[in-house]
Amino acid sequence: MGGTERITDFDALRRALADNAEQPEGPARNARAEQLLAAAEGLNIPLAVIEALGHQLKVYNYSSEKGKMFVPFARLLRMWDERPEDFDEYEAHSLHWVFKWMSAGMLDQPHIPLASIEKWLGEMAHRYRLAGYSERAVHGAEFSVAEHIGDLARAERAYAAWLAADRDAMADCHACELHGQGTWQVTRGRDTEALELWRPVLEGEFACAHEPHTVLASSLAPLLRLGRVDEARGHHLRGFRLVRPMESMRGAYADHVEFCALTGNEARALELLAERPAYFTDTGQPRSRLDFLAVVALLMDRLAELGLAGQRVPGPAGRAWTAAELAGHARAEALELAEQFDRRNGTAYVGERTRARMAQRPLADRLPLGVRTVRPAPVAAPPVPPAPPAPEAADSPGLPALLAEARRLSESLLPHALEAWAAAAQAAEGVELEPRDGAELTDHEAMARGPEGVELFERAAALYTEAGDLGEALAARARGAYVRALTGEVDAALEAVTGLYDEALALYADEATGLRQTASVVMSRARILMRCVHEGFAQADGAEGLSRAEQAVREVLALVGGRGADDVRLAARDAEARGMLAELALLRGDGGRAAELFRRAVDGYLSAGLPWFAVEYEAQLAALAQQAGDLAGAERALRSALEHGGPYLEPVGRAQLHLQLAELVGGRGEVAEAAEHAWQAAHWADEAGASGTLGGWARQQLGGLLLRQDRCAEAAEVLESALADLSAETHGDGAVVQARWWLGDCLSELGDHRAAAEHRLRAAEIARLWPEQQDHATLAHLAGESLSKAGLVEEADQAYARAGELWLALGNAPFRVRSLRARGWLALRGDGGAEDARELMARAVRECERALAAAADPVARDQLGIELAHTHRQFGDLLARSVAEEAEDGVIQAAFEAALVQLDRAATLFGTLGADGLHDRTGAELAAGWLAADLGRSAEAAARARAVLAAYEDVDEADDTVRARRAEAAQLLEQ
């Protein structure tokens, strides 16, 4: 959109105005409007200046420079008062229309006195009466003023008058009116009523340049308050996609930042702030700046509550900001702006609402959004000198109580036992301990440290020995040996545990130690031998290793079997041993036996009251059931795993279970539930730090599930986020292609055809290298469709040509014909012209006829017959449209005659299909009838119309197509 060309006539100005209107909102478009006004003034045509001023008003209104509207409007109003005859009908209407913009614009500017705004309302009412318009828009403007200043009684009166007045040409569009009405219900605390008012806008019945954008944004907080979180999430993903490119929508943008701050998505909120740095400082519309800054303060306070006050955050340009610094800045700026409005209004209403907005509490701890949003980690505090020990609080538990609680949790194998031991260890710092206490504390510290705790096990064993518990000392050393096996020192671990095993059995035989301690050593030996199996199964001694491991596991069962009723720890040993036997059965290829043993292990843990230990085996059961084709059994096992794991599941395990459930549930058609599992999977993958691996899978699946529900805007947001993580190396090129394919489908439905084409072409380029070329052909064909709809005729023709060659190689004649037809229509639009278009369509007919003649399969013949009928129909339409209106009569007549031939053939072929081809046949007949009428053959046209009416003589009139065909036939008879 250049600004240097010279505009010398009114038509050129209008073209330039139209071009600028299509540009993105913002200062560049506004500056161009100012240039065009100067050009209009040089034409010495009053209407040119009026149109340029109207355009300038419009671009200012839809930008962050709304405060600039008043000057061009004042000039337009003066021109109207002086010479109304210079305005055409459209510009006269537009002048009165923007009176409403002026009312709202004045409210947004705190420097404009309230008295001036009230005077303007009177002026607006007077002008509307003179022009013969309803008072509906006037009452709407008065309502806005009363609501803004907090005069709720006056607002109620104006609201009622607004709704009671007649709708006319000055009334706001239905979508905008419903937004305002719903917002009032929210103000009055009636969230449900607001959402009901907004329903027609949300469902697409009413729309305009800024709707449903603002309704989607305004609905977020009410939906959260009502607990309708899935709808709120959908409105955020769908609405933010609409708001993101529109610079003028700072208030709606703030609603989306607020939504993130209230749902545990602080990281996404920070990303949103980073996308719009100018929103911090743009002063053209102070009211939306106030909204934005209030939400920024809310978000920064939330970060501080999470321990992130020192985190670097996006803020006004020119310096670096921490969350704490930006919180103070945004709050001060917001309250100053609120004070300016309240001084102007003579009330405290704006300030009260601003403080209430900044003081909101989260409405959800974390609402998974599907897009990648990892909660930021707390900033490490700077080191501080150690403080002297504080006296122990009277109500804090002492060391004996902490030790007792840790032992209670350990005895029952309850979760968080290690945390309890850590708390006891902290309390024991500097305290002289009994050997037994020291041994247990050291033992559990070793368990918590994993590979780093090997040496601590030895220290614990020495303390157990000092305390006189030789069996527990052996158990501690055996645990240390198992940890060494986990670090890869399998042979050394096996050698160590063998000696410990012999000692433990000897002590047990002499009744010098208990069953628990002996079972612990025997289980450690079995675990180490299982580790040997898993690490060396592919080696020559695999079978021998399996046997040794199985014998060790059965020794555990022989030792503890039947003794778990009164001892949860022994019951756990029994269940774990059965799980080990199941693993060994799997290694031997006996899936049925493995499943039986895993079920017994699960039952053992559940009977012992240890459901969280059953999760791993239930996941194994799910995998075995899925391999056996028992999808219902797999689903039951996964649901049980999630239920039994509860809050104790690690994030990565929870993500995996949810993702598997999403695939299974989605596979049986429960798409909404599957999507919820995929949302959860994406969330827990992010929490586990697996966004780039498991998270990418989850988002890819979620995008496809949302698309299956026709939630295209949400799906597009999720798939775009997924593609940032998906890679052929990690996820396979099939996953990448599918994600781009789905995204192309979403963008096509959303009308973003250029972007849809890009993703389809990129997917096709990957699929080009695959041995099977069906996907490559389909994607190239779809790319052709998108490029055509985007107006990229040459590129679309290339894509269709590529698809056509692939369809030919694949032997898919119907789609080969469709690609030729599509190219024919493109040629008519492009440089090829009518001749190339006719030749391509003729090729489509010939190739379809050849394929039909060669087809032996009845189903293929039927399909090709239908395709041929459609090709003749389209050929007829193309021929009729391929001649210009200014062409010679002979040329037009020849084209119409040729088109009639094609339409007759189409009607005949559709006729062979019986009821299935009825509508297509009558459509071809009517098209032929209109051509006959254009050629002056009224009798033929009438005959075709009567044939259509006869075809529908006994057909149900409830069918919309039937009614339309009958009406068109009756109209044709009147020619």
Side-chain angles (χ1 to χ4, degrees), residues 670-837:
E670 297 294 333
V671 183
E673 184 189 349
E676 186 56 43
H677 284 297
W679 253 308
Q680 293 294 332
H683 161 66
W684 289 109
D686 289 344
E687 291 290 305
S691 298
T693 51
L694 195 56
W697 276 117
R699 276 181 266 279
Q700 192 245 24
Q701 289 296 306
L702 175 58
L705 291 163
L706 291 170
L707 177 59
R708 286 169 65 183
Q709 298 175 73
D710 296 323
R711 298 164 69 172
C712 294
E714 298 166 63
E717 283 289 302
V718 170
L719 288 166
E720 286 169 351
S721 182
L723 282 167
D725 290 319
L726 288 174
S727 69
E729 295 75 20
T730 302
H731 304 90
D733 54 10
V736 178
V737 166
Q738 185 63 82
R740 292 200 181 279
W741 193 327
W742 282 335
L743 182 52
D745 291 348
C746 293
L747 295 170
S748 179
E749 287 295 317
L750 295 170
D752 192 350
H753 299 298
R754 188 182 289 262
E758 178 188 348
H759 286 288
R760 286 169 166 175
L761 286 170
R762 291 179 70 177
E765 193 58 25
I766 298 172
R768 179 178 64 84
L769 303 175
W770 294 354
E772 170 54 55
Q773 289 290 284
Q774 176 75 25
D775 286 340
H776 181 198
T778 304
L779 286 162
H781 200 108
L782 289 170
E785 288 182 11
S786 295
L787 290 164
S788 175
K789 290 175 181 176
L792 300 170
V793 174
E794 184 178 344
E795 293 88 342
D797 182 70
Q798 292 171 359
Y800 275 124
R802 174 183 178 184
E805 293 304 313
L806 290 165
W807 293 129
L808 185 63
L810 288 165
N812 191 326
F815 275 88
R816 163 70 173 173
V817 169
R818 291 179 190 182
S819 69
L820 288 168
R821 289 201 312 247
R823 293 184 65 201
W825 286 110
L826 285 168
L828 199 60
R829 293 163 56 189
D831 296 335
E835 186 176 345
D836 286 353

Side-chain angles (χ1 to χ4, degrees), residues 420-763:
W421 282 107
Q426 186 175 2
E429 289 180 11
V431 176
E432 187 175 347
L433 298 171
E434 292 294 324
R436 178 74 191 194
D437 293 342
E440 289 183 86
L441 287 168
T442 306
D443 199 2
H444 286 91
E445 184 184 352
M447 296 179 202
R449 287 196 184 186
E452 298 174 4
V454 172
E455 299 304 322
L456 287 175
F457 281 118
E458 287 298 324
R459 192 184 310 167
L463 289 167
Y464 280 127
T465 301
E466 186 181 343
D469 192 338
L470 299 179
E472 201 62 64
L474 293 174
R477 290 193 174 97
R479 284 190 284 274
Y482 177 55
V483 170
R484 290 180 69 183
L486 292 178
T487 63
E489 298 180 46
V490 179
D491 293 337
L494 183 58
E495 181 180 351
V497 83
T498 300
L500 298 169
Y501 165 79
D502 292 337
E503 288 184 58
L505 289 182
L507 281 176
Y508 184 60
D510 292 339
E511 298 183 355
T513 190
L515 178 58
R516 271 196 186 182
Q517 291 81 0
T518 307
S520 180
V521 175
V522 175
M523 176 57 82
S524 291
R525 177 172 174 268
R527 288 172 176 168
I528 292 169
L529 283 167
M530 288 294 295
R531 192 74 184 172
C532 293
V533 166
H534 287 300
E535 292 200 356
F537 183 67
Q539 297 173 8
D541 64 345
E544 181 184 345
L546 281 173
S547 298
R548 290 173 64 200
E550 182 173 352
Q551 181 181 353
V553 173
R554 292 196 180 280
E555 287 185 32
V556 175
L557 287 172
L559 189 64
V560 304
R563 305 192 188 190
D566 300 321
D567 191 327
V568 68
R569 297 176 74 89
L570 296 180
R573 301 287 189 211
D574 184 279
E576 183 182 353
R578 297 190 190 280
M580 289 175 171
L581 289 177
E583 292 177 35
L584 293 170
L586 267 183
L587 291 171
R588 290 191 172 104
D590 191 347
R593 176 64 176 158
E596 178 190 346
L597 287 163
F598 279 134
R599 277 191 289 271
R600 292 177 66 181
V602 168
D603 291 343
Y605 279 129
L606 297 183
S607 298
L610 304 170
W612 45 88
F613 285 121
V615 172
E616 179 183 349
Y617 297 146
E618 285 171 321
Q620 292 270 28
L621 280 170
L624 287 169
Q626 197 161 4
Q627 289 168 16
D630 180 9
L631 301 185
E635 185 179 331
R636 283 194 302 273
L638 289 170
R639 290 187 187 279
S640 294
L642 274 173
E643 177 189 350
H644 293 146
Y648 311 118
L649 272 174
E650 289 294 321
V652 68
R654 190 180 293 268
Q656 289 168 336
L657 292 172
H658 276 296
L659 185 55
Q660 289 174 272
L661 265 175
E663 293 170 355
L664 284 172
V665 174
R668 62 176 173 80
E670 297 294 333
V671 183
E673 184 189 349
E676 186 56 43
H677 284 297
W679 253 308
Q680 293 294 332
H683 161 66
W684 289 109
D686 289 344
E687 291 290 305
S691 298
T693 51
L694 195 56
W697 276 117
R699 276 181 266 279
Q700 192 245 24
Q701 289 296 306
L702 175 58
L705 291 163
L706 291 170
L707 177 59
R708 286 169 65 183
Q709 298 175 73
D710 296 323
R711 298 164 69 172
C712 294
E714 298 166 63
E717 283 289 302
V718 170
L719 288 166
E720 286 169 351
S721 182
L723 282 167
D725 290 319
L726 288 174
S727 69
E729 295 75 20
T730 302
H731 304 90
D733 54 10
V736 178
V737 166
Q738 185 63 82
R740 292 200 181 279
W741 193 327
W742 282 335
L743 182 52
D745 291 348
C746 293
L747 295 170
S748 179
E749 287 295 317
L750 295 170
D752 192 350
H753 299 298
R754 188 182 289 262
E758 178 188 348
H759 286 288
R760 286 169 166 175
L761 286 170
R762 291 179 70 177

Side-chain angles (χ1 to χ4, degrees), residues 185-202:
Q185 300 305 317
V186 172
T187 298
R188 304 300 278 157
R190 299 188 284 259
D191 289 340
T192 301
E193 290 84 345
L195 290 163
E196 183 57 30
L197 277 167
W198 289 333
R199 184 178 52 77
V201 183
L202 295 170

Side-chain angles (χ1 to χ4, degrees), residues 290 334-335 337-339 341-342 347-358:
L290 167 59
L335 292 175
L337 278 170
E339 174 60 22
F341 279 108
D342 284 341
T347 67
Y349 188 68
V350 174
E352 290 168 356
R353 296 194 68 182
T354 300
R355 289 182 177 86
R357 189 170 198 180
M358 292 190 292

Side-chain angles (χ1 to χ4, degrees), residues 79 107 112 114 152 160 187 225 267 346 390 407-408 415 419 540 559 569 635 661 757 786 796 812 835 933 966:
M79 293 175 73
L107 275 180
I112 299 179
L114 189 61
L152 303 186
T187 298
R225 287 193 292 267
R407 285 173 179 138
R408 183 187 71 82
E419 290 91 327
L559 189 64
R569 297 176 74 89
E635 185 179 331
L661 265 175
S786 295
N812 191 326
E835 186 176 345
R966 283 177 172 167

